[in-house]
Amino acid sequence: MLEGAIIGIIVAVIVMMIQKNKQKKALAEVNNSETLDTPSFSAFFHHATEKIFTGNGFKFFDGNGVGYLSGNNFNYKSKSGLQTFDLSICTIEYAGKKKKLDWISIDDNGTKHYFTSFQQGAFKMDGSEMNNFIEKLKEISPESKLDIV
């Protein structure tokens, strides 16, 4: 029984290390790229469609990738490609907490996209990155509905 617990801990640590390495590589790719504008904010995000976000299943996001703010645009780069949201046109709202994480929604021409960012710690998730992102969005779009309840 003790052997199983030790093996479980080792596997959990290895998975967390692999995930951290994946996030660092993705962020370094955006921050070190030769973009026209240096991003004012970048983080590793989880993206959910409305179907997944409003569903009650175990899965709470569709994919993950790097999101970064560049001027009035929020760019989300994942395996499926780059999505750009013009925040001066899109509706931005605080979508609430789901799975103990703060989420925002970006409504782009009637299609809602949900985003969250967190760092997995040993015993809990750190949502400070998402709070920083929400503060940046409030600066860019003061009329947005991003008040956390």
Side-chain angles (χ1 to χ4, degrees):
M1 189 156 126
L2 182 62
E3 295 165 342
I6 292 172
I7 291 172
I9 290 172
I10 291 171
V11 168
V13 168
I14 290 172
V15 167
M16 285 174 53
M17 288 173 53
I18 290 170
Q19 186 178 13
K20 282 257 193 230
N21 192 24
K22 178 181 169 185
Q23 291 175 2
K24 284 182 183 178
K25 280 183 180 179
L27 283 170
E29 183 179 307
V30 168
N31 291 332
N32 295 334
S33 66
E34 294 181 16
T35 56
L36 294 176
D37 294 329
T38 304
S40 59
F41 179 88
S42 62
F44 196 78
F45 282 90
H46 298 277
H47 171 258
T49 57
E50 192 163 9
K51 179 182 175 186
I52 294 294
F53 185 78
T54 56
N56 291 327
F58 180 72
K59 184 177 178 181
F60 66 98
F61 63 90
D62 290 305
N64 48 35
V66 175
Y68 58 96
L69 290 171
S70 184
N72 279 343
N73 292 331
F74 174 64
N75 301 299
Y76 174 70
K77 185 177 182 182
S78 65
K79 287 181 181 178
S80 60
L82 178 69
Q83 289 179 303
T84 301
F85 302 96
D86 185 351
L87 300 179
S88 62
I89 301 171
C90 296
T91 305
I92 311 163
E93 295 178 334
Y94 177 70
K97 281 193 179 283
K98 183 159 181 147
K99 306 276 186 188
K100 298 183 180 180
L101 300 170
D102 290 318
W103 289 78
I104 60 141
S105 70
I106 299 176
D107 190 339
D108 184 32
N109 294 328
T111 305
K112 283 197 173 188
H113 300 271
Y114 296 88
F115 294 95
T116 189
S117 180
F118 64 89
Q119 294 292 322
Q120 179 67 49
F123 298 107
K124 71 176 206 171
M125 291 183 264
D126 177 19
S128 61
E129 201 72 31
M130 188 63 184
N131 294 335
N132 293 340
F133 180 60
I134 289 172
E135 291 304 316
K136 285 282 191 185
L137 287 176
K138 284 180 182 178
E139 291 174 15
I140 292 172
S141 181
E143 70 280 352
S144 61
K145 301 171 187 164
L146 290 169
D147 294 326
I148 298 174
V149 245

